[in-house]
Amino acid sequence: MQTNDHILQAIRIEKTFPGTRALDKVDFHLRRGEVHALLGENGAGKSTLIKCLTGAYRRDGGAILLDDAEVDPRDTFEAQALGIGTVYQEVNLLPNLTVAENLFLGRQPRRFGMVDARAMNRRARDLLADYELDIDVTRDLASYSVAIQQVVAIARAVDLSGKVLILDEPTASLDAHEVAMLFRIIRRLKARGLGIVFVTHFLEQVYEISDRITVLRNGQLVGTRETANLDRRELIAMMIGRELAAEIHAPRAEVRQGPLRYRFRNYGRKGRVRPFDLDVRAGEVVGMAGLLGSGRTETAELLFGAHRADSGGAEIDGRAVDLASPRAAIRHRFGFCPEDRKTSGIIGDLSVRENIVLALQARRGWTRPISRAEQNRLADHYIRALDIRTADREKPIKLLSGGNQQKAILARWLATEPEFLILDEPTRGIDVGAHAEIVKLIEALREKGLSLIVVSSEIEELVAYSTRVIVLRDRAHVAELDGSRITASEIVEAIAATNERRTS
Amino acid sequence: ADLVVGFSQIGSESGWRAAETTLTKQQAEQRGIDLKFADAQQKQENQIKAIRSFIAQGVNAILVAPVVATGWDEVLQEAKDAEIPVILLDRTVDSSNELYLTAVTSDLVHEGNVAGKWLVDTTAGKPCNVVELQGTTGSSPAIDRKKGFEQALSGHDNLKIIRSQTGDFTRTKGKEVMESFLKAEDGGKNICALYAHNDDMAVGAIQAIKEAGLKPGKDILVVSIDAVPDIFQAMAAGEANATVELTPNMAGPAFDALAAFQKDGTAPPKWIQTESKLYTQADEPLKVYEEKKGLGY
Amino acid sequence: MKPKYLPLTATLVIFLLGYALCVAQYPNMLSTRVIGNLLTDNAFLGIAAVGMTFVIISGGIDLSIGSVIAFTGVFLAVVLEHTSIHPLIAFAMVLAIATLFGAAMGAIIHYLEMPPFIVTLAGMFLARGMAFVLSIDSIPIKHPFYATLKALYFKLPGGGRITLIGGLMLLVFAIGILIAHRTRFGTNVYALGGGTATARLMGVPVAATTIRIYALSGLLAGLSGIVFSLYTSAGYSLAAVGVELDAITAVVIGGTLLTGGSGFVAGTLVGILIQGLIQTYITFDGSLSSWWTKILIGLLLFAFILLQKGIIFVSRQRQQRA
Amino acid sequence: MTSFLRLYFNRLLPQLIALGIIVAAVSLVFPGFLNLQIQNGRLYGSLIDILNRGAPVVLLAIGMTVVIATKGIDLSVGAVMAICGATAAAAITSGHSLAATLLITLGVGILCGLWNGVLVAVLDIQPIIATLVLMVAGRGVAQLITEGAILTFNDPDLVFIGSGSFAGLPMPVVIWLIFGILTALLVRRTALGMLIEAIGVNRQASTLSGVLTPVLLIAAYVLSGLCAAIAGIIAAADIRGADANNAGLWLELDAILAVVVGGTSLLGGRFSIAASVLGAIIIQAINTGILLSGFPPEFNLIIKAAIIVFILVLQSPRFRTAFAFLVPARGARNPSERAAK
Ligand SMILES: Nc1ncnc2c1ncn2[C@@H]1O[C@H](COP(=O)(O)OP(=O)(O)OP(=O)(O)O)[C@@H](O)[C@H]1O
Ligand SMILES: Nc1ncnc2c1ncn2[C@@H]1O[C@H](COP(=O)(O)OP(=O)(O)OP(=O)(O)O)[C@@H](O)[C@H]1O
Ligand SMILES: [Mg+2]
Ligand SMILES: [Mg+2]
């Protein structure tokens, strides 16, 4: 193998966090003009490796070679200057700056020493035009959806990457259309000879776009293979260290549904969700499908009382209830895993244990503390049951990898033994193994008689566990599929059909 | 119709100052003067602002109790340009005396001097270690009262200031600092007299002395300045020995001078000095207390 | 209108409303004298508040400015009193010291990862302590150059004046606005306020920016100290106590969030004017005792904040409806 | 249990070391510093003075800790102290019994806290500004009660609170010890502590988890008001008078400093009441040390600033990792990584 077709090489990278050996002498070689998938379970060390490459973390050992010359970026600024553009895992842009400022931060066009805002905005618009995004670039980034933010982050990184582009789970909050667009851009960059590192948990995407695959497990390099020579089963085995029983579930047997328990009539809130009717039975999983920004999250928040409904009413078991606040909803045994786990999910500085017991404790009230022994028991139970990868239960949750944080929040609600569980994108950023486990878990909860509402952008997944699927568009419920009509193509068609109606 | 007079007061940092405000208002009312009162909350910039807005309002005269001596030239000049007479109360400024009508003040150095003289006379040559409670570091009463006291003591080698700390003019700090003086000087056995820059600190210190098991007024002589009512109670109880009066009635003479000036242009002397009267236990402290009690201290 | 301009507009509306009310009661308040005074009297506060605005937008706070103002004044007075150094050189010296002082605090905040509140609190003690050590007396500055500077003003019809320092404040605000919105540094300040960790990942030079922000605040506090010494022709170690709180209040009334990341330098100017207006109103009224003055200032502050909240709330609602 | 104690000890270790250094330094300058004797049936000495004089700041720091844990700050405590001192003096001089006086005063403190809490939790005003309103207006209210004068009283029972002694300790010390222990038990033996920390770290996520955020926020400010009330009573009783102008002046800064010296982050979250109490004692030790040292008062501020910077540098996460061998770094984290996450 010639060395000079390697654009970026990482040699025996080491990184240790207190209690965790995040990277153990990992080698990673990126060729010119290839898309290289970096895979592994949650907490395998992918993000850590990337951060070591770009100087966001100081590595404890090892060397980095860019174009065969040793480099040592001390911070991301230097990495950018070297031509390494990166999209980090969480949407890492500044919500308080405008879209244009985010795109050109640190390299704004200047005239007479002053930032030339007009030129900057024009260039920002041009840049985003490549991504079929026609938005007002002078507005704050925060006013756009996560998806748009993600596209902006990608556009910025691409624009910055002269040699190497690193994408850490860029597609987690994108829908199919946007993913296709991203892939078009990646292919174009690849043709220009850039090296592209691509982290994702969607294996379909790996096979669609990548040339080679490197797999990490528990901070160690498992191996690097040509994508063409690695079949899916083998890849999963490399990632999780064992064979996965059945990755996608066979269509389940006809489920027996319980009694109708939750009735929402004409439920809605001005400016957020158009009033809708919704009935949920015990032992039912209602999937919610729709394009980005179609109002799924807002529906979920409304049902949980995070926003108060201003029309219609809710009934549980035939009795009218007022879901005015999350507390009220929790009293009726609701649970809610929010979509944005960083801002509305985790309590970063608190330990995994405290994060798990929080909701249960809040429901019991402050005067009836859960004893430490009981907390430990609960935490250990769920850490085991959901396979949360953490050094110990006292680790601050913010130090866990993204997927493990998600599982801990799920554990928080399971600990309250809910009867009505609302999950907003529960599998976002979760590895294949855990993905399968969560799908299994949803099934198991349904069989236990829970009612679930699951918002997901992964249609395959919705098909796998939903007993009914609701399709949203423009903040309104527009279609409902059940029984045999729950298939990927039917759902896609329902979304598309409504789309056509929009254009006509 | 009425005479409108603006009064820029420093603030309300002590009981003495409250009494001065009360008396000024009383005096104005007696004379039918419409008094515009502005509290500067201890800030010179606020006083300057207040004087400027008095000028903008077109008052007939301005009273100022300046928080510091420096920095008044410009605003006083503006008042002069607007032909509004300015009278200084309680403290002077270092501007040219052309710029104001008169100053009604006591002499801070003199006050310290009176207190020092009393101590010199009382100790009559016996060796005596003095501890000093200073006012707020940097404030002009603290600087001048220290200076005057030291002047009085100079040449009397029997008197030595062994410790000097700031008590910020407050009772709490006076008590706290005295406690540490007592600890530092052999439980207080080493201290013969206390000089406090104001009565409030003295009152606090007296409590500290008592709590340390000593008798203030006997084991440790107490002399302070201001003559607020509470110190007379202490004197009546034999716990304080002497205080130097700083009268809160500065406005009376000021208004008189103003009236004379406006009637026929009689220019008052540039400095109307108030008396710095010494009170001791011999001056019927209880009677003085009753007199002063109602003045808003 | 863009939602981010709402707080700024709300503040401006409130100021104009308040001013109109004052004028209705005291017609004299419309005079150019009052307007000139509003600028001159608040010049030092305004200049310091510009620095504070940058600090707060970046998510920090600077409690040291009042002490730095006092230190600057005492330093100038001592130098001009005891040496024959020309004031302009003394100005340069003291600005350099104040800037270095700020930079040092910024460096401690960044490199030792200590909260700005505490670092600058220590800075506040230290700067005032230094002033005490230089001199506890208030020292007049009699240098003729001061007189020259003070004689520079622009006369308005009606007896009001735009003085040198009032003009300087406006200039500093203008430059501040340019820096905030038209330089890379300015954007970096906002970026820090949006989240230090994210800003670092996006390649913002966090260390340099933090240090520069506090250096800028120090520099402006120094400049404010010079203005204050011009204003009072003296140096005094007890001067400008609590100015930091006034500055913070002005910044916040001006619509800047203390959590950082959003705000406007121009808003701070309106905040300063609102505070000045409250004070002027109270002096014009002139019937309040010391205590009622304090209570009223507090209540008016509260009323302004409530009004601002109200205006923002109502227009948000309306925007959502639309 | 022993491991629990060890953890606790480790948490307080930096503060204990800092205190030790200061005490050692002061006793070098002033040898009598460590002397303790019994006088009039109570302990007497500089060390006791520190505990006694530190009482107001300790009390304020207790309330401030909880407020800061919710990611707030309470600038009004000094003014509330003044209000409550004035209330107590006014009540006792107008003939109310001690019990009634205390009840009224504590009630006023709670009311002040309620006001702050409502501003922060319900009207959603930023804590610094919300409490600034009461900081400015509160001192005016206090002066309104006393009319600017020092309202003196001689009620022996009330005076006892300030300068009496119980079990050989000055009353203020007894009060803050009991109150501190009660508060610590209240937050740690119930779930309050954890819920408050959760709010401080992530208010939105806590609300979504069903935590009663507004009520707890208000409760934090109420506690702070209550602490200020007790501190105000002690300060007034100590000098037998309510000094509305100066009582508690700038003490809010000392209280915040105490909390930070105690190692609680101003960004909210994890807190320790014991550590804040230690922080307050450290600050008082500095103050008393300066008084005993006999330096001219011009140097007070510089000395204080220097010592504070020194302590904070000792505590700063960077320094701690650099000198991890000095301080047993149980649970210590890598700071740069923490910041980068
Ligand atoms: N700042 C940190 N301090 C301590 N431990 C950390 C820190 N960051 C990451 N870790 C730990 O290092 C390991 C690797 O984490 P990393 O984020 O690299 O995983 P990942 O492969 O990106 O996972 P995911 O797919 O969930 O994003 C995890 O065990 C995590 O808990
Ligand atoms: N393309 C877009 N342009 C402008 N605003 C958008 C767009 N997409 C979403 N939004 C806004 O972002 C918010 C997202 O809505 P919501 O979270 O309910 O949608 P969702 O279906 O859950 O989508 P997501 O998968 O992004 O969570 C809405 O307020 C919407 O107005
Ligand atoms: Mg990751
Ligand atoms: Mg969503």
Side-chain angles (χ1 to χ4, degrees):
Chain A
M1 204 197 316
Q2 285 175 325
T3 39
N4 69 352
D5 71 311
H6 282 145
I7 191 160
L8 181 76
Q9 303 178 66
I11 301 162
R12 302 182 77 73
I13 303 288
E14 288 177 58
K15 179 76 200 175
T16 308
F17 296 116
T20 314
R21 187 134 179 86
L23 293 175
D24 189 2
K25 307 215 175 68
V26 171
D27 286 324
F28 180 75
H29 301 272
L30 178 68
R31 289 188 193 140
R32 235 175 278 283
E34 76 163 344
V35 177
H36 196 137
L38 182 59
L39 305 181
E41 292 174 281
N42 294 127
K46 306 178 295 291
S47 300
T48 307
L49 176 60
I50 287 169
K51 286 187 178 169
C52 286
L53 289 178
T54 62
Y57 284 171
R58 294 301 292 161
R59 60 183 187 279
D60 297 335
I64 300 169
L65 277 74
L66 185 69
D67 279 337
D68 294 322
E70 182 148 354
V71 293
D72 185 16
R74 269 166 313 161
D75 50 36
T76 39
F77 186 67
E78 263 181 49
Q80 285 173 14
L82 289 170
I84 306 177
T86 314
V87 175
Y88 295 94
Q89 185 170 4
E90 315 291 333
V91 176
N92 268 302
L93 294 177
L94 292 155
N96 62 320
L97 298 188
T98 67
V99 173
E101 283 169 339
N102 266 296
L103 284 171
F104 290 99
L105 187 64
R107 55 202 183 101
Q108 297 98 327
R110 284 187 289 198
R111 260 176 72 192
F112 314 118
M114 293 283 135
V115 170
D116 184 351
R118 196 169 305 168
M120 179 172 76
N121 293 335
R122 194 180 52 239
R123 280 169 58 177
R125 271 190 295 273
D126 293 349
L127 194 59
L128 291 180
D130 277 355
Y131 300 80
E132 295 163 29
L133 212 52
D134 184 19
I135 56 176
D136 180 358
V137 295
T138 64
R139 284 179 70 121
D140 286 353
L141 187 77
S143 51
Y144 295 104
S145 67
V146 184
I148 291 183
Q149 297 186 13
Q150 189 72 49
V151 175
V152 174
I154 293 169
R156 173 186 156 84
V158 169
D159 201 41
L160 273 168
S161 52
K163 293 177 176 165
V164 176
L165 173 65
I166 303 178
L167 303 167
D168 193 350
E169 293 194 33
T171 52
S173 50
L174 299 188
D175 64 23
H177 175 69
E178 283 150 322
V179 171
M181 181 177 66
L182 173 65
F183 283 3
R184 272 201 305 280
I185 288 161
I186 289 182
R187 290 198 181 95
R188 211 162 63 208
L189 295 174
K190 181 174 144 176
R192 285 210 327 242
L194 262 78
I196 294 153
V197 182
F198 185 63
V199 179
T200 186
H201 292 294
F202 297 112
L203 297 188
E204 296 79 23
Q205 296 180 1
V206 172
Y207 282 100
E208 183 181 345
I209 192 84
S210 75
D211 303 307
R212 290 199 301 161
I213 297 173
T214 291
V215 176
L216 299 181
R217 190 164 72 232
N218 288 333
Q220 286 173 328
L221 178 70
V222 178
T224 301
R225 303 281 200 83
E226 300 284 330
T227 309
N229 305 335
L230 184 66
D231 75 23
R232 212 178 157 101
R233 187 170 293 272
E234 210 179 334
L235 171 60
I236 292 173
M238 277 174 87
M239 283 164 64
I240 65 176
R242 62 188 153 87
E243 299 264 319
L244 190 65
E247 193 198 332
I248 297 293
H249 286 254
R252 82 198 140 266
E254 194 50 43
V255 283
R256 240 171 31 83
Q257 291 188 346
L260 176 63
R261 295 205 57 199
Y262 304 91
R263 271 169 81 98
F264 298 91
R265 280 285 164 275
N266 197 27
Y267 214 62
R269 182 178 167 89
K270 264 198 215 88
R272 291 190 181 270
V273 186
R274 209 104 32 89
F276 60 86
D277 293 344
L278 179 64
D279 294 336
V280 188
R281 300 173 167 279
E284 195 178 22
V285 178
V286 179
M288 275 208 224
L291 292 177
L292 295 171
S294 55
R296 294 165 299 173
T297 296
E298 311 227 308
T299 305
E301 286 174 349
L302 198 67
L303 294 176
F304 188 62
H307 303 291
R308 215 191 159 108
D310 60 6
S311 74
E315 275 175 25
I316 300 179
D317 297 331
R319 251 172 308 136
V321 293
D322 185 14
L323 301 174
S325 67
R327 277 183 71 79
I330 291 167
R331 226 174 293 128
H332 294 294
R333 301 232 164 222
F334 282 41
F336 174 52
C337 289
E339 164 181 41
D340 186 346
R341 59 171 171 260
K342 206 168 168 184
T343 62
S344 6
I346 61 165
I347 314 280
D349 288 332
L350 297 197
S351 64
V352 176
R353 165 180 61 82
E354 286 163 306
N355 270 281
I356 290 178
V357 302
L358 182 66
L360 182 59
Q361 180 64 70
R363 196 178 68 198
R364 287 174 57 153
W366 62 274
T367 48
R368 293 173 50 218
I370 304 170
S371 74
R372 189 58 178 262
E374 176 66 11
Q375 292 187 17
N376 291 347
R377 197 190 62 70
L378 274 171
D380 287 343
H381 171 74
Y382 285 106
I383 288 175
R384 228 173 320 109
L386 302 185
D387 193 21
I388 299 173
R389 305 281 165 87
T390 173
D392 64 294
R393 60 171 122 78
E394 297 305 321
K395 192 165 177 162
I397 195 169
K398 67 177 175 193
L399 299 183
L400 261 55
S401 76
N404 284 308
Q405 293 176 358
Q406 181 70 41
K407 290 195 230 166
I409 294 172
L410 210 52
R412 173 190 296 168
W413 291 108
L414 294 184
T416 66
E417 296 176 353
E419 293 170 0
F420 186 79
L421 193 55
I422 304 163
L423 307 176
D424 195 354
E425 306 279 6
T427 55
R428 179 174 291 174
I430 278 192
D431 67 43
V432 266
H435 193 290
E437 280 166 38
I438 286 182
V439 172
K440 239 180 5 209
L441 187 73
I442 291 174
E443 296 263 77
L445 292 173
R446 178 181 56 71
E447 264 152 36
K448 267 175 64 187
L450 263 72
S451 309
L452 289 102
I453 293 204
V454 185
V455 176
S456 177
S457 302
E458 275 185 78
I459 291 170
E460 302 287 330
E461 176 190 310
L462 283 176
V463 172
Y465 50 63
S466 304
T467 55
R468 195 144 48 98
V469 172
I470 290 175
V471 179
L472 276 78
R473 187 254 299 170
D474 285 344
R475 300 156 182 266
H477 294 213
V478 291
E480 194 170 318
L481 309 171
D482 53 10
S484 57
R485 290 184 60 210
I486 306 180
T487 61
S489 56
E490 283 264 2
I491 296 175
V492 171
E493 209 168 290
I495 296 173
T498 54
N499 252 348
E500 273 156 27
R501 225 178 301 151
R502 168 157 43 173
T503 43
S504 64
Chain B
D2 288 346
L3 204 56
V4 180
V5 175
F7 174 31
S8 168
Q9 175 62 292
I10 295 180
S12 55
E13 74 280 7
S14 67
W16 184 88
R17 182 111 0 240
E20 187 188 38
T21 306
T22 316
L23 275 166
T24 307
K25 285 184 177 167
Q26 274 177 13
Q27 295 283 343
E29 207 168 326
Q30 279 169 21
R31 292 167 167 80
I33 293 172
D34 179 6
L35 191 74
K36 294 249 169 212
F37 175 77
D39 180 305
Q41 320 212 16
Q42 276 77 37
K43 290 188 189 161
Q44 180 178 24
E45 59 271 25
N46 288 351
Q47 289 200 292
I48 297 179
K49 288 178 204 172
I51 297 174
R52 288 231 164 92
S53 41
F54 288 145
I55 299 171
Q57 290 178 60
V59 296
N60 301 100
I62 296 173
L63 300 187
V64 197
V67 63
V68 279
T70 51
W72 299 99
D73 295 359
E74 196 179 355
V75 67
L76 290 183
Q77 184 65 50
E78 282 174 35
K80 196 178 165 75
D81 293 346
E83 295 179 0
I84 300 173
V86 175
I87 301 180
L88 308 177
L89 289 195
D90 157 47
R91 297 181 184 179
T92 55
V93 300
D94 69 354
S95 308
S96 144
N97 63 14
E98 295 290 299
L99 293 179
Y100 55 87
L101 184 65
T102 180
V104 185
T105 76
S106 89
D107 182 343
L108 294 166
V109 179
H110 180 61
E111 289 168 0
N113 216 309
V114 172
K117 278 232 180 60
W118 174 85
L119 194 60
V120 169
D121 295 344
T122 312
T123 51
K126 283 195 300 270
C128 181
N129 285 336
V130 184
V131 295
E132 180 182 26
L133 285 172
Q134 299 182 27
T136 305
T137 309
S139 66
S140 59
I143 295 169
D144 290 346
R145 287 176 182 172
K146 183 173 175 56
K147 190 154 111 201
F149 186 75
E150 281 169 355
Q151 276 172 9
L153 261 56
S154 73
H156 299 275
D157 296 338
N158 59 320
L159 291 168
K160 220 170 77 205
I161 300 180
I162 51 170
R163 285 195 174 251
S164 180
Q165 246 300 346
T166 175
D168 279 339
F169 284 131
T170 69
R171 278 195 199 184
T172 314
K173 284 283 280 178
K175 187 172 180 188
E176 175 176 359
V177 176
M178 192 66 205
E179 275 176 1
S180 67
F181 283 173
L182 291 166
K183 300 278 159 24
E185 297 299 335
D186 197 15
K189 295 189 197 73
N190 211 6
I191 304 173
C192 133
L194 161 72
Y195 166 51
H197 287 188
N198 78 352
D199 290 340
D200 282 333
M201 290 190 289
V203 170
I206 287 168
Q207 286 170 20
I209 297 171
K210 286 203 286 193
E211 282 167 25
L214 297 175
K215 289 202 174 59
K218 302 208 173 52
D219 299 335
I220 296 178
L221 300 175
V222 178
V223 53
S224 51
I225 299 176
D226 272 1
V228 305
D230 283 351
I231 199 76
F232 289 97
Q233 276 194 315
M235 284 206 278
E239 293 172 346
N241 302 82
T243 185
V244 181
E245 181 175 42
L246 171 65
T247 174
N249 182 12
M250 307 264 176
F255 286 137
D256 292 341
L258 183 65
F261 175 72
Q262 295 202 314
K263 195 162 137 239
D264 47 20
T266 340
K270 283 292 167 187
W271 184 21
I272 303 175
Q273 187 183 358
T274 59
E275 192 187 2
S276 299
K277 187 173 166 207
L278 180 77
Y279 285 92
T280 64
Q281 291 176 355
D283 294 303
E284 294 186 65
L286 270 184
K287 208 177 115 211
V288 186
Y289 172 72
E290 290 302 326
E291 279 168 22
K292 291 202 164 231
K293 204 172 62 172
L295 293 180
Y297 278 106
Chain C
M1 184 180 44
K2 294 217 176 100
K4 70 174 177 185
Y5 293 121
L6 256 177
L8 183 63
T9 328
T11 319
L12 195 63
V13 169
I14 292 169
F15 171 69
L16 294 176
L17 220 73
Y19 200 62
L21 281 178
C22 289
V23 170
Q25 196 174 352
Y26 301 104
N28 256 1
M29 278 190 67
L30 200 57
S31 70
T32 55
R33 229 180 237 274
V34 171
I35 293 168
N37 287 354
L38 222 46
L39 293 180
T40 308
D41 291 335
N42 294 299
F44 76 97
L45 181 59
I47 291 172
V50 173
M52 185 69 90
T53 313
F54 280 91
V55 174
I56 291 182
I57 289 177
S58 81
I61 201 154
D62 187 352
L63 297 181
S64 72
I65 56 174
S67 301
V68 172
I69 293 173
F71 169 80
T72 308
V74 175
F75 179 90
L76 285 176
V78 169
V79 166
L80 297 181
E81 187 84 332
H82 297 294
T83 68
S84 56
I85 291 176
H86 189 270
L88 282 178
I89 296 172
F91 289 170
M93 284 163 64
V94 81
L95 287 180
I97 296 175
T99 311
L100 280 179
F101 182 74
M105 290 195 298
I108 293 179
I109 290 167
H110 176 78
Y111 288 110
L112 294 182
E113 293 172 22
M114 303 214 288
F117 193 97
I118 290 303
V119 174
T120 56
L121 184 65
M124 161 179 166
F125 290 155
L126 193 67
R128 202 168 291 277
M130 298 290 282
F132 278 142
V133 171
L134 280 180
S135 165
I136 55 172
D137 290 300
S138 76
I139 309 171
I141 301 177
K142 301 263 185 236
H143 200 282
F145 185 65
Y146 265 57
T148 323
L149 289 184
K150 292 176 120 181
L152 295 175
Y153 54 81
F154 176 75
K155 213 162 178 111
L156 296 173
R161 303 168 174 182
I162 303 283
T163 53
L164 176 72
I165 56 175
L168 186 63
M169 171 179 79
L170 293 179
L171 183 70
V172 168
F173 268 104
I175 296 175
I177 291 171
L178 272 187
I179 293 182
H181 303 293
R182 283 283 172 271
T183 64
R184 289 185 183 173
F185 168 72
T187 315
N188 287 347
V189 174
Y190 281 87
L192 282 195
T196 319
T198 309
R200 180 176 298 137
L201 285 183
M202 287 183 73
V204 172
V206 176
T209 309
T210 309
I211 293 173
R212 273 188 218 155
I213 290 168
Y214 286 89
L216 176 69
S217 177
L219 170 74
L220 288 177
L223 187 61
S224 165
I226 293 175
V227 165
F228 194 75
S229 88
L230 273 168
Y231 184 56
T232 61
S233 296
Y236 185 34
S237 46
L238 281 180
V241 173
V243 164
E244 50 281 345
L245 284 181
D246 293 341
I248 294 171
T249 315
V251 173
V252 172
I253 294 183
T256 298
L257 284 184
L258 270 168
T259 39
S262 107
F264 294 95
V265 175
T268 303
L269 178 61
V270 187
I272 295 275
L273 293 178
I274 287 182
Q275 277 181 309
L277 188 70
I278 293 180
Q279 266 189 358
T280 313
Y281 174 78
I282 286 175
T283 335
F284 265 78
D285 176 74
S287 66
L288 291 170
S289 63
S290 303
W291 25 101
W292 277 113
T293 308
K294 292 199 179 84
I295 297 175
L296 194 70
I297 292 180
L299 287 181
L300 286 176
L301 188 65
F302 178 59
F304 277 117
I305 296 168
L306 266 193
L307 238 115
Q308 198 184 44
K309 285 247 161 220
I311 293 183
I312 293 171
F313 181 77
V314 169
S315 26
R316 283 256 158 82
Q317 292 266 296
R318 199 169 298 157
Q319 263 180 1
Q320 231 168 39
R321 290 279 141 86
Chain D
M1 200 62 207
T2 49
S3 81
F4 174 72
L5 275 182
R6 181 134 45 89
L7 257 178
Y8 203 65
F9 178 74
N10 272 334
R11 167 70 179 79
L12 299 181
L13 197 61
Q15 283 75 33
L16 290 172
I17 292 178
L19 189 59
I21 294 177
I22 291 171
V23 168
V26 179
S27 24
L28 275 186
V29 186
F30 176 68
F33 188 57
L34 297 174
N35 290 354
L36 272 182
Q37 67 214 48
I38 305 273
Q39 194 169 317
N40 301 332
R42 65 169 255 208
L43 283 166
Y44 186 84
S46 297
L47 291 181
I48 296 296
D49 275 0
I50 292 177
L51 300 183
N52 191 17
R53 286 288 142 219
V57 177
V58 168
L59 283 163
L60 297 184
I62 292 174
M64 191 69 80
T65 308
V66 177
V67 169
I68 286 180
T70 68
K71 209 180 199 160
I73 202 156
D74 188 351
L75 292 183
S76 73
V77 289
V80 175
M81 258 181 86
I83 297 180
C84 292
T87 311
I92 205 92
T93 47
S94 66
H96 289 281
S97 70
L98 180 71
T101 301
L102 293 184
L103 273 177
I104 295 172
T105 311
L106 297 182
V108 168
I110 287 173
L111 224 61
C112 293
L114 205 60
W115 160 269
N116 283 332
V118 168
L119 257 54
V120 172
V122 181
L123 297 181
D124 207 18
I125 300 175
Q126 306 180 55
I128 288 201
I129 291 300
T131 54
L132 186 75
V133 170
L134 191 56
M135 176 186 181
V136 175
R139 199 160 288 282
V141 173
Q143 288 172 336
L144 187 68
I145 299 172
T146 66
E147 306 215 293
I150 299 184
L151 205 58
T152 40
F153 52 83
N154 278 310
D155 180 87
D157 294 333
L158 188 52
V159 169
F160 182 80
I161 291 179
S163 44
S165 65
F166 179 81
L169 285 174
M171 272 308 280
V173 182
V174 176
I175 292 174
W176 70 249
L177 268 177
I178 293 178
F179 189 79
I181 291 171
L182 282 182
T183 318
L185 285 181
L186 177 72
V187 295
R188 290 302 170 199
R189 280 299 145 94
T190 69
L192 267 183
M194 186 184 88
L195 296 179
I196 285 173
E197 286 174 348
I199 294 177
V201 177
N202 191 338
R203 187 162 155 189
Q204 191 184 345
S206 306
T207 311
L208 282 179
S209 302
V211 180
L212 246 185
T213 340
V215 174
L216 285 183
L217 270 178
I218 294 178
Y221 286 89
V222 165
L223 176 70
S224 179
L226 183 67
C227 289
I230 301 176
I233 295 174
I234 289 180
D238 179 41
I239 57 166
R240 298 153 192 255
D243 184 350
N245 314 313
N246 297 301
L249 198 60
W250 302 119
L251 277 200
E252 50 279 345
L253 292 184
D254 274 2
I256 295 168
L257 200 59
V259 174
V260 173
V261 167
T264 297
S265 161
L266 285 172
L267 298 177
R270 294 277 181 225
F271 69 94
S272 157
I273 289 187
S276 296
V277 169
L278 261 181
I281 296 299
I282 288 175
I283 290 172
Q284 187 58 42
I286 298 175
N287 288 340
T288 306
I290 291 175
L291 292 181
L292 287 170
S293 64
F295 285 117
E298 296 92 284
F299 292 95
N300 288 1
L301 278 177
I302 291 196
I303 299 173
K304 194 168 167 180
I307 298 178
I308 289 168
V309 169
F310 175 71
I311 295 176
L312 290 175
V313 169
L314 266 189
Q315 278 190 9
S316 86
R318 268 291 160 93
F319 187 88
R320 274 217 235 174
T321 29
F323 293 83
F325 58 91
L326 277 181
V327 186
R330 179 172 289 248
R333 290 165 244 135
N334 191 328
S336 52
E337 256 69 289
R338 209 193 33 183
K341 184 72 190 191

